[in-house]
Amino acid sequence: MTPSELPYSDPSRLAEALLGDGYALLRPQDVARLAGCTLADLDALAPSWEHLELDNYLKDGGRYRRRRHSCFVDDGRDLTQVPHRAHWQPVEYNALHGGMHRLFAPIAPGTVAQPAWRQLLRSLGAVCSQAKAAQPWYVEAHQFRIDTADGIGRPTPEGAHRDGVDFVAVILVKRAGIKGGETRVFEADGPRGQRFTMTEPWTLLLLDDAAVIHESTPIQPLGEHGYRDTLVLTWRAGAFQGEDA
């Protein structure tokens, strides 16, 4: 499936797509337009993926994932970074790594300080508020690099899953020298689903976490080495996971 054949959503009807289909898929230029910036502004964020830290929590013993993680609150007027905290998910949503307090290196201050970062997160938070009543959103941001140094990399080692939040965005930042990495989205309680491969930087998938499950298939190198960079954002009402237990 070529980029032009992907099941893209009408960018003017993102909230409706989330509520009706459980997901919305945006072209890179529509992501930039939504954020009120240029693709060049978004590209300026990409070099920070060269400085991620090894994920030492993988239970399969793999060394294929590098990441950084930071948390924010979007109150509808501003986006505020909160003191650095561990990432936590219940086992009901992540059978492989749930129940663990995983403390990752924070996202670099220079990345968070770029206007495109704030514009991207705030614009997507506004879509979440359109789909669900406007309220403070507890936002977690994850920079991921999945590499093929050991022959195979697993973007979602936990398999098809939900995240235990309200909304999830999966944004492709770059893919280089790989095959695989197909994105799969299925109804949580039904037969419908979509499969496609995001190849263009800043293609964005936005998910209603209660309505669908999602996964990405493993990646393999086309040559000596390859990798896939993504930005994963989650929005949750009320509190960060683990704070309202």
Side-chain angles (χ1 to χ4, degrees), residues 214-233:
H214 64 281
E215 67 177 333
S216 296
T217 62
I219 62 172
Q220 294 176 281
L222 288 173
E224 208 171 296
H225 181 60
Y227 59 89
R228 178 177 184 263
D229 291 347
T230 56
L231 173 62
V232 175
L233 305 166

PDB file of all heavy atoms in Angstrom, residues 214-233:
ATOM      1  N   HIS A 214      -4.350  -1.791  19.166  1.00  0.00           N
ATOM      2  CA  HIS A 214      -3.393  -1.492  18.103  1.00  0.00           C
ATOM      3  C   HIS A 214      -2.072  -2.192  18.351  1.00  0.00           C
ATOM      4  O   HIS A 214      -1.756  -2.575  19.485  1.00  0.00           O
ATOM      5  CB  HIS A 214      -3.162   0.018  17.983  1.00  0.00           C
ATOM      6  CG  HIS A 214      -2.542   0.634  19.200  1.00  0.00           C
ATOM      7  ND1 HIS A 214      -3.247   0.943  20.337  1.00  0.00           N
ATOM      8  CD2 HIS A 214      -1.258   1.003  19.469  1.00  0.00           C
ATOM      9  CE1 HIS A 214      -2.453   1.471  21.231  1.00  0.00           C
ATOM     10  NE2 HIS A 214      -1.232   1.516  20.730  1.00  0.00           N
ATOM     11  N   GLU A 215      -1.306  -2.342  17.297  1.00  0.00           N
ATOM     12  CA  GLU A 215       0.039  -2.907  17.381  1.00  0.00           C
ATOM     13  C   GLU A 215       0.806  -2.533  16.129  1.00  0.00           C
ATOM     14  O   GLU A 215       0.229  -2.096  15.125  1.00  0.00           O
ATOM     15  CB  GLU A 215      -0.002  -4.433  17.521  1.00  0.00           C
ATOM     16  CG  GLU A 215      -0.535  -5.154  16.295  1.00  0.00           C
ATOM     17  CD  GLU A 215      -0.492  -6.665  16.430  1.00  0.00           C
ATOM     18  OE1 GLU A 215       0.366  -7.169  17.191  1.00  0.00           O
ATOM     19  OE2 GLU A 215      -1.297  -7.345  15.770  1.00  0.00           O
ATOM     20  N   SER A 216       2.121  -2.692  16.183  1.00  0.00           N
ATOM     21  CA  SER A 216       2.986  -2.554  15.011  1.00  0.00           C
ATOM     22  C   SER A 216       3.815  -3.826  14.898  1.00  0.00           C
ATOM     23  O   SER A 216       4.347  -4.320  15.899  1.00  0.00           O
ATOM     24  CB  SER A 216       3.908  -1.335  15.136  1.00  0.00           C
ATOM     25  OG  SER A 216       3.153  -0.142  15.159  1.00  0.00           O
ATOM     26  N   THR A 217       3.938  -4.345  13.698  1.00  0.00           N
ATOM     27  CA  THR A 217       4.647  -5.605  13.510  1.00  0.00           C
ATOM     28  C   THR A 217       6.158  -5.392  13.612  1.00  0.00           C
ATOM     29  O   THR A 217       6.656  -4.280  13.458  1.00  0.00           O
ATOM     30  CB  THR A 217       4.301  -6.221  12.144  1.00  0.00           C
ATOM     31  OG1 THR A 217       4.720  -5.329  11.103  1.00  0.00           O
ATOM     32  CG2 THR A 217       2.796  -6.471  12.034  1.00  0.00           C
ATOM     33  N   PRO A 218       6.909  -6.463  13.869  1.00  0.00           N
ATOM     34  CA  PRO A 218       8.371  -6.340  13.980  1.00  0.00           C
ATOM     35  C   PRO A 218       9.003  -5.780  12.707  1.00  0.00           C
ATOM     36  O   PRO A 218       8.436  -5.866  11.615  1.00  0.00           O
ATOM     37  CB  PRO A 218       8.826  -7.776  14.244  1.00  0.00           C
ATOM     38  CG  PRO A 218       7.644  -8.430  14.896  1.00  0.00           C
ATOM     39  CD  PRO A 218       6.450  -7.825  14.210  1.00  0.00           C
ATOM     40  N   ILE A 219      10.182  -5.199  12.882  1.00  0.00           N
ATOM     41  CA  ILE A 219      10.948  -4.685  11.752  1.00  0.00           C
ATOM     42  C   ILE A 219      12.211  -5.524  11.574  1.00  0.00           C
ATOM     43  O   ILE A 219      12.747  -6.084  12.538  1.00  0.00           O
ATOM     44  CB  ILE A 219      11.315  -3.195  11.913  1.00  0.00           C
ATOM     45  CG1 ILE A 219      12.197  -2.984  13.156  1.00  0.00           C
ATOM     46  CG2 ILE A 219      10.053  -2.348  11.992  1.00  0.00           C
ATOM     47  CD1 ILE A 219      12.768  -1.565  13.271  1.00  0.00           C
ATOM     48  N   GLN A 220      12.671  -5.613  10.331  1.00  0.00           N
ATOM     49  CA  GLN A 220      13.910  -6.308   9.992  1.00  0.00           C
ATOM     50  C   GLN A 220      14.748  -5.400   9.105  1.00  0.00           C
ATOM     51  O   GLN A 220      14.208  -4.570   8.356  1.00  0.00           O
ATOM     52  CB  GLN A 220      13.612  -7.620   9.255  1.00  0.00           C
ATOM     53  CG  GLN A 220      12.892  -8.647  10.105  1.00  0.00           C
ATOM     54  CD  GLN A 220      12.538  -9.877   9.290  1.00  0.00           C
ATOM     55  OE1 GLN A 220      11.565  -9.893   8.536  1.00  0.00           O
ATOM     56  NE2 GLN A 220      13.354 -10.906   9.418  1.00  0.00           N
ATOM     57  N   PRO A 221      16.071  -5.554   9.139  1.00  0.00           N
ATOM     58  CA  PRO A 221      16.918  -4.682   8.317  1.00  0.00           C
ATOM     59  C   PRO A 221      16.879  -5.076   6.851  1.00  0.00           C
ATOM     60  O   PRO A 221      16.794  -6.253   6.503  1.00  0.00           O
ATOM     61  CB  PRO A 221      18.312  -4.898   8.912  1.00  0.00           C
ATOM     62  CG  PRO A 221      18.261  -6.284   9.474  1.00  0.00           C
ATOM     63  CD  PRO A 221      16.852  -6.479   9.971  1.00  0.00           C
ATOM     64  N   LEU A 222      16.944  -4.080   5.977  1.00  0.00           N
ATOM     65  CA  LEU A 222      17.084  -4.339   4.552  1.00  0.00           C
ATOM     66  C   LEU A 222      18.545  -4.570   4.186  1.00  0.00           C
ATOM     67  O   LEU A 222      18.853  -5.246   3.210  1.00  0.00           O
ATOM     68  CB  LEU A 222      16.529  -3.159   3.740  1.00  0.00           C
ATOM     69  CG  LEU A 222      15.009  -3.020   3.732  1.00  0.00           C
ATOM     70  CD1 LEU A 222      14.599  -1.726   3.033  1.00  0.00           C
ATOM     71  CD2 LEU A 222      14.359  -4.219   3.061  1.00  0.00           C
ATOM     72  N   GLY A 223      19.429  -3.977   4.971  1.00  0.00           N
ATOM     73  CA  GLY A 223      20.857  -4.139   4.757  1.00  0.00           C
ATOM     74  C   GLY A 223      21.527  -4.506   6.062  1.00  0.00           C
ATOM     75  O   GLY A 223      21.138  -5.441   6.752  1.00  0.00           O
ATOM     76  N   GLU A 224      22.531  -3.711   6.421  1.00  0.00           N
ATOM     77  CA  GLU A 224      23.287  -4.011   7.630  1.00  0.00           C
ATOM     78  C   GLU A 224      22.567  -3.553   8.893  1.00  0.00           C
ATOM     79  O   GLU A 224      22.649  -4.183   9.935  1.00  0.00           O
ATOM     80  CB  GLU A 224      24.657  -3.314   7.528  1.00  0.00           C
ATOM     81  CG  GLU A 224      25.748  -4.037   8.304  1.00  0.00           C
ATOM     82  CD  GLU A 224      27.123  -3.457   7.998  1.00  0.00           C
ATOM     83  OE1 GLU A 224      27.555  -3.565   6.837  1.00  0.00           O
ATOM     84  OE2 GLU A 224      27.738  -2.902   8.918  1.00  0.00           O
ATOM     85  N   HIS A 225      21.847  -2.447   8.778  1.00  0.00           N
ATOM     86  CA  HIS A 225      21.246  -1.871   9.979  1.00  0.00           C
ATOM     87  C   HIS A 225      20.082  -0.979   9.581  1.00  0.00           C
ATOM     88  O   HIS A 225      20.077  -0.391   8.501  1.00  0.00           O
ATOM     89  CB  HIS A 225      22.288  -1.050  10.754  1.00  0.00           C
ATOM     90  CG  HIS A 225      21.773  -0.440  12.020  1.00  0.00           C
ATOM     91  ND1 HIS A 225      21.260  -1.195  13.052  1.00  0.00           N
ATOM     92  CD2 HIS A 225      21.663   0.842  12.420  1.00  0.00           C
ATOM     93  CE1 HIS A 225      20.878  -0.392  14.037  1.00  0.00           C
ATOM     94  NE2 HIS A 225      21.106   0.857  13.662  1.00  0.00           N
ATOM     95  N   GLY A 226      19.083  -0.898  10.438  1.00  0.00           N
ATOM     96  CA  GLY A 226      17.952  -0.023  10.179  1.00  0.00           C
ATOM     97  C   GLY A 226      17.240   0.322  11.466  1.00  0.00           C
ATOM     98  O   GLY A 226      17.510  -0.264  12.517  1.00  0.00           O
ATOM     99  N   TYR A 227      16.318   1.269  11.375  1.00  0.00           N
ATOM    100  CA  TYR A 227      15.607   1.684  12.583  1.00  0.00           C
ATOM    101  C   TYR A 227      14.296   2.386  12.219  1.00  0.00           C
ATOM    102  O   TYR A 227      14.087   2.792  11.060  1.00  0.00           O
ATOM    103  CB  TYR A 227      16.472   2.603  13.451  1.00  0.00           C
ATOM    104  CG  TYR A 227      16.930   3.860  12.770  1.00  0.00           C
ATOM    105  CD1 TYR A 227      16.173   5.029  12.800  1.00  0.00           C
ATOM    106  CD2 TYR A 227      18.150   3.887  12.085  1.00  0.00           C
ATOM    107  CE1 TYR A 227      16.601   6.183  12.166  1.00  0.00           C
ATOM    108  CE2 TYR A 227      18.583   5.039  11.450  1.00  0.00           C
ATOM    109  CZ  TYR A 227      17.804   6.181  11.488  1.00  0.00           C
ATOM    110  OH  TYR A 227      18.225   7.319  10.851  1.00  0.00           O
ATOM    111  N   ARG A 228      13.433   2.518  13.224  1.00  0.00           N
ATOM    112  CA  ARG A 228      12.139   3.198  13.074  1.00  0.00           C
ATOM    113  C   ARG A 228      11.954   4.109  14.277  1.00  0.00           C
ATOM    114  O   ARG A 228      11.966   3.649  15.422  1.00  0.00           O
ATOM    115  CB  ARG A 228      11.017   2.162  13.001  1.00  0.00           C
ATOM    116  CG  ARG A 228       9.583   2.722  12.880  1.00  0.00           C
ATOM    117  CD  ARG A 228       8.629   1.547  12.746  1.00  0.00           C
ATOM    118  NE  ARG A 228       7.251   1.931  12.529  1.00  0.00           N
ATOM    119  CZ  ARG A 228       6.320   2.019  13.486  1.00  0.00           C
ATOM    120  NH1 ARG A 228       6.652   1.768  14.756  1.00  0.00           N
ATOM    121  NH2 ARG A 228       5.076   2.347  13.196  1.00  0.00           N
ATOM    122  N   ASP A 229      11.788   5.402  14.019  1.00  0.00           N
ATOM    123  CA  ASP A 229      11.608   6.398  15.070  1.00  0.00           C
ATOM    124  C   ASP A 229      10.141   6.831  15.122  1.00  0.00           C
ATOM    125  O   ASP A 229       9.546   7.139  14.078  1.00  0.00           O
ATOM    126  CB  ASP A 229      12.468   7.636  14.803  1.00  0.00           C
ATOM    127  CG  ASP A 229      13.954   7.372  14.951  1.00  0.00           C
ATOM    128  OD1 ASP A 229      14.325   6.308  15.496  1.00  0.00           O
ATOM    129  OD2 ASP A 229      14.751   8.230  14.524  1.00  0.00           O
ATOM    130  N   THR A 230       9.590   6.861  16.318  1.00  0.00           N
ATOM    131  CA  THR A 230       8.211   7.326  16.492  1.00  0.00           C
ATOM    132  C   THR A 230       8.112   8.208  17.728  1.00  0.00           C
ATOM    133  O   THR A 230       8.930   8.113  18.651  1.00  0.00           O
ATOM    134  CB  THR A 230       7.215   6.157  16.647  1.00  0.00           C
ATOM    135  OG1 THR A 230       7.626   5.325  17.742  1.00  0.00           O
ATOM    136  CG2 THR A 230       7.111   5.337  15.380  1.00  0.00           C
ATOM    137  N   LEU A 231       7.087   9.042  17.719  1.00  0.00           N
ATOM    138  CA  LEU A 231       6.677   9.797  18.889  1.00  0.00           C
ATOM    139  C   LEU A 231       5.296   9.285  19.269  1.00  0.00           C
ATOM    140  O   LEU A 231       4.377   9.313  18.450  1.00  0.00           O
ATOM    141  CB  LEU A 231       6.615  11.291  18.570  1.00  0.00           C
ATOM    142  CG  LEU A 231       6.046  12.205  19.666  1.00  0.00           C
ATOM    143  CD1 LEU A 231       6.885  12.156  20.934  1.00  0.00           C
ATOM    144  CD2 LEU A 231       5.922  13.640  19.151  1.00  0.00           C
ATOM    145  N   VAL A 232       5.160   8.780  20.482  1.00  0.00           N
ATOM    146  CA  VAL A 232       3.878   8.282  20.978  1.00  0.00           C
ATOM    147  C   VAL A 232       3.415   9.207  22.097  1.00  0.00           C
ATOM    148  O   VAL A 232       4.155   9.466  23.050  1.00  0.00           O
ATOM    149  CB  VAL A 232       3.988   6.827  21.479  1.00  0.00           C
ATOM    150  CG1 VAL A 232       2.665   6.374  22.101  1.00  0.00           C
ATOM    151  CG2 VAL A 232       4.373   5.896  20.333  1.00  0.00           C
ATOM    152  N   LEU A 233       2.200   9.719  21.957  1.00  0.00           N
ATOM    153  CA  LEU A 233       1.605  10.637  22.917  1.00  0.00           C
ATOM    154  C   LEU A 233       0.313  10.033  23.441  1.00  0.00           C
ATOM    155  O   LEU A 233      -0.442   9.426  22.679  1.00  0.00           O
ATOM    156  CB  LEU A 233       1.304  11.981  22.262  1.00  0.00           C
ATOM    157  CG  LEU A 233       2.464  12.682  21.561  1.00  0.00           C
ATOM    158  CD1 LEU A 233       1.938  13.808  20.676  1.00  0.00           C
ATOM    159  CD2 LEU A 233       3.460  13.225  22.583  1.00  0.00           C
TER     160      LEU A 233
END
